[in-house]
Structures are given as C-alpha cells and as structure tokens.
Amino acid sequence: NIKSSDELLCFFFAFLCLNVFIKYIQTGKITHLLLGSFSFLLSLLSKESVITFLAVIPLIFFFYMNENKKRSIYITLCIVLAAIIFLTIRFSVLNLYHADNTNAVDFVDNALAKKDLSYESRIATAIFILGYYIRLLFVPYPLICDYSYNSIPFVHFNDPIVLISLGIYIFLAVFSIRRFLINHKDFYALGILFFLITISLFSNILFLIGTTMGERLLFFPSVGFCLLLALLIEKWVGGKAGTVHAILIHPKVLVIIIPVSIIFSIITINRNSEWVNNDILFYRDAIKSPNNKKLTYNVGTKLEMLAGEEKDPAIQKQKRAEAITYLEKSLAIYPFDSKAQCNLGNAFLRNAQYDSAEVHEKRAIELNPEEIIALNY
C-alpha cells in the first residue's frame, strides 16, 4: 500500500521531532531545537494530519517534561513557525492548481457528504464510526481497504451503539481532563488526551474529510492506546519492576504478550496474502463488505476485463456472468454512476444481450453526456 507511506513518514518525523526536542530540553543546544523543528516540518509535508501536534507538543513540554519553561516556549514557537511555513506552501500550491475547493468531498468516498443526509444522522454516524475505531484497536478484524459508500450504514441517535460510543468518548474526555487537573504529570491522562486529540481530525464531526473512515487513520491515535496498555500492564506486575526487559519477561506480562503476538501475527500474515495485488484485495474485501459501492464496482470491472482476456469460452462466460452480478450490485447500491452503467452495458454487449446493453449505455449517456465509451458503443 504505497499510498499509505505518507502515514509512516509522517509518524516517523513526528516522533523524531519529539525525541530531538527532549534532547533540547535536556541540553539546551540550539541545533536540537532547529533539527526538531525541521523534523516537524518534514512530518507536515509528509501528511498534514500531524497538525494536531500543535496541541500535543505543548501539552508534553509544558506539563510532562517541564524542566525548563523557557525552552518549552521556544519549542512551541518553532513548531508554530513550521506550521505557518507548511500552510503557506499548502495554500499557495492548492490555489495555483485551483484545488482549494473545500466543498469538493465526493460522497462516494465519504458517505457523510451525501446531500440529503440529515445533520443529526451525519453526526450520529460519525460517532458510530468513532466507536468502531475503538473496537478495531482491540479486535483488528475484519480489515478492509476501503470504507466508502455504503460500507457503513447511516444511523441515528436512537441506535444503542451510537449511545455507547458517545458515552465512551465522553467518559474518556472527562476522566482524562479530571486526572490532568489533579496531576499535570498523570501519564494515563496523557495517553487518553493523545488519542482524543489526534483522532479528532478524522472524526468527520468538526469538518468532513476525504473518506468515511480508514484503518490507516487510526495509526497515529493508536500511540495513546499503546501507552495506556503499557501503563496498565506495568501496574499489573507491581509498578516499575526494574528494567524494561525485566517487566517484559515477567510471567504476568508474557501471559498477555505471547497469545496477542501469535493471534495478531496470524491476522497480519493472512492479511498480507490479500494485499498481493488490487484484484485479490478488492475481491476479498468485497466479500467482507458486500454493500461497498466502490469495491463491488472495482471487482465487476476487473472481472469483465479478465473475461475479455480469457480464451476458454466456458471460463469466459463464467467470469462475465460474475462481472455482471458485481456491476449490478454496485448499481443497486448507487444507480447514478455513469461509468458503472457503461461498464455493465459493455458486459451485456459482449455477452450478446443487446437489449440490456442498450438500456445501460443510454442510461450512462443520460447521467454523463460526455461518457465517450458509452457513446461509441
């Protein structure tokens, strides 16, 4: 998944900047301050979602590592400057290429952008998704490469899962803020606040993003979750029982680590077998998410291409029939996709079902008068 290298680079430079800033707090060397600031800029240039660190970094260096307030102020000023440089670059590039339309979220990618969706349902569904993120932290299965329309059903505030999700997030917010106010160095509060701050950007509550949800978006917030688990495990074995190594080999810890490592390794290996190429990935994920418009369309289109390349008439007929099934399912989910109408018409045409082909090619042209392939056929 080359596209999500941005997540890894963003993460790497963000935590590099934290480590370098810690050295600056300890030594006061200006080179550490400059290198940390440059690392933060590189993180922003990798992916803009690290902008939430404008809240995380001051939180860490004013309250959890506050040996020197003056140096903490310098760190904050430098990351704000780095953010200004990034935003200047971002806005100038988007403006230059006329890509600064903030309303250009396609509801096929983010179902919450659907025009006739009520505000109440949009917020309820977003809260439902936030609850699903927490479930994935504990049980990362099934994993799906795409959560676009209509993977996640629209819900309302009378849905019990929405209320449970809302209750969990309210509890986390109140619990962490309360502990933080009592003790500014409470690491349980830090773990929860880190999670809440970094996931807020992807919540689709403050504003709509380019996707309904994505497992990759949980990568950064999962740091807070991992910190909480480490703190709980450390407490379970009786506090700071010596070195990190001593804690890791403690029998109580091994009881948790070994089965979790085995189970998650099996999940990872199985998932890797699905990431062989787009065809296998889409096919497998369309089975897990049968109501996903984009996945069913991609599978149907690919099967039609494979049918055209097939020499065996029997196998060709089988693949084309399966392609038609997936394309019809995609259009049943969302009938206003001109490309899906066109591709289904093409499949019927090659299957010598001319009446059906004509219906779908004409429908494609109605939806998009410039649909070249439909016009040609």
Side-chain angles (χ1 to χ4, degrees), residues 1-26:
N1 183 13
I2 294 173
K3 176 256 166 279
S4 286
S5 294
D6 59 358
E7 295 284 351
L8 300 178
L9 286 170
C10 177
F11 185 94
F12 170 76
F13 287 120
F15 281 85
L16 176 63
C17 97
L18 283 181
N19 278 278
V20 176
F21 281 148
I22 289 171
K23 288 186 179 295
Y24 170 68
I25 287 288
Q26 294 169 343

Side-chain angles (χ1 to χ4, degrees), residues 330-344:
S330 176
L331 286 169
I333 297 167
Y334 181 66
F336 305 105
D337 185 345
S338 63
K339 291 193 180 300
Q341 293 282 1
C342 178
N343 288 352
L344 181 56

Side-chain angles (χ1 to χ4, degrees), residues 136-275:
L136 280 175
L137 286 170
F138 289 95
V139 186
Y141 184 87
L143 298 175
I144 303 169
C145 68
D146 180 86
Y147 284 89
S148 57
Y149 185 81
N150 176 41
S151 292
I152 299 168
F154 296 124
V155 293
H156 299 274
F157 276 101
N158 59 359
D159 189 304
I161 297 177
V162 174
L163 297 176
I164 291 170
S165 176
L166 180 61
I168 290 171
Y169 276 89
I170 291 174
F171 169 78
L172 289 174
V174 172
F175 178 79
S176 58
I177 292 171
R178 185 172 179 274
R179 288 188 68 107
F180 176 74
L181 292 174
I182 294 171
N183 177 12
H184 289 337
K185 290 183 179 289
D186 188 300
F187 282 100
Y188 290 96
L190 175 63
I192 297 172
L193 289 171
F194 186 100
F195 174 77
L196 294 176
I197 291 169
T198 51
I199 204 169
S200 65
L201 206 63
F202 310 120
S203 66
N204 275 308
I205 293 176
L206 302 175
F207 51 83
L208 291 176
I209 61 174
T211 183
T212 312
M213 73 166 285
E215 289 152 9
R216 67 187 182 280
L217 305 180
L218 198 54
F219 186 56
F220 236 107
S222 69
V223 172
F225 175 77
C226 292
L227 174 59
L228 287 174
L229 281 185
L231 291 168
L232 290 171
I233 290 171
E234 186 180 74
K235 186 174 182 179
W236 191 45
V237 299
K240 296 181 179 179
T243 63
V244 173
H245 179 260
I247 295 173
L248 287 174
I249 62 172
H250 194 286
K252 286 184 177 180
V253 177
L254 292 177
V255 167
I256 298 172
I257 288 180
I258 291 175
V260 167
S261 297
I262 292 171
I263 293 168
F264 280 27
S265 295
I266 292 169
I267 290 173
T268 302
I269 292 167
N270 286 339
R271 187 60 175 157
N272 286 342
S273 69
E274 297 173 344
W275 274 95

Side-chain angles (χ1 to χ4, degrees), residues 307-374:
E309 298 167 1
E310 183 57 55
K311 304 300 182 185
D312 187 320
I315 297 176
Q316 184 185 70
K317 186 176 181 180
Q318 178 188 345
K319 285 186 177 177
R320 183 151 289 138
E322 195 174 2
I324 289 171
T325 299
Y326 272 99
L327 288 169
E328 285 180 330
K329 182 182 283 189
S330 176
L331 286 169
I333 297 167
Y334 181 66
F336 305 105
D337 185 345
S338 63
K339 291 193 180 300
Q341 293 282 1
C342 178
N343 288 352
L344 181 56
N346 299 346
F348 279 129
L349 180 67
R350 292 173 187 135
N351 214 33
Q353 295 173 266
Y354 301 117
D355 290 346
S356 296
E358 184 179 354
V359 167
H360 289 285
E361 299 291 10
K362 284 184 174 179
R363 181 59 178 147
I365 296 167
E366 283 178 21
L367 293 168
N368 180 11
E370 297 181 3
E371 192 63 66
I372 302 299
I373 295 174

Side-chain angles (χ1 to χ4, degrees), residues 279-304 306 318-334 337 339-341 343-344 347-348 360:
D279 308 340
I280 294 174
L281 180 66
F282 293 154
Y283 189 83
R284 298 279 183 86
D285 283 5
I287 295 171
K288 299 176 195 173
S289 184
N291 294 320
N292 185 302
K293 185 266 170 208
K294 189 181 286 187
L295 287 175
T296 51
Y297 167 78
N298 287 339
V299 172
T301 302
K302 185 61 183 180
L303 285 169
E304 170 55 27
L306 292 174
Q318 178 188 345
K319 285 186 177 177
R320 183 151 289 138
E322 195 174 2
I324 289 171
T325 299
Y326 272 99
L327 288 169
E328 285 180 330
K329 182 182 283 189
S330 176
L331 286 169
I333 297 167
Y334 181 66
D337 185 345
K339 291 193 180 300
Q341 293 282 1
N343 288 352
L344 181 56
F348 279 129
H360 289 285

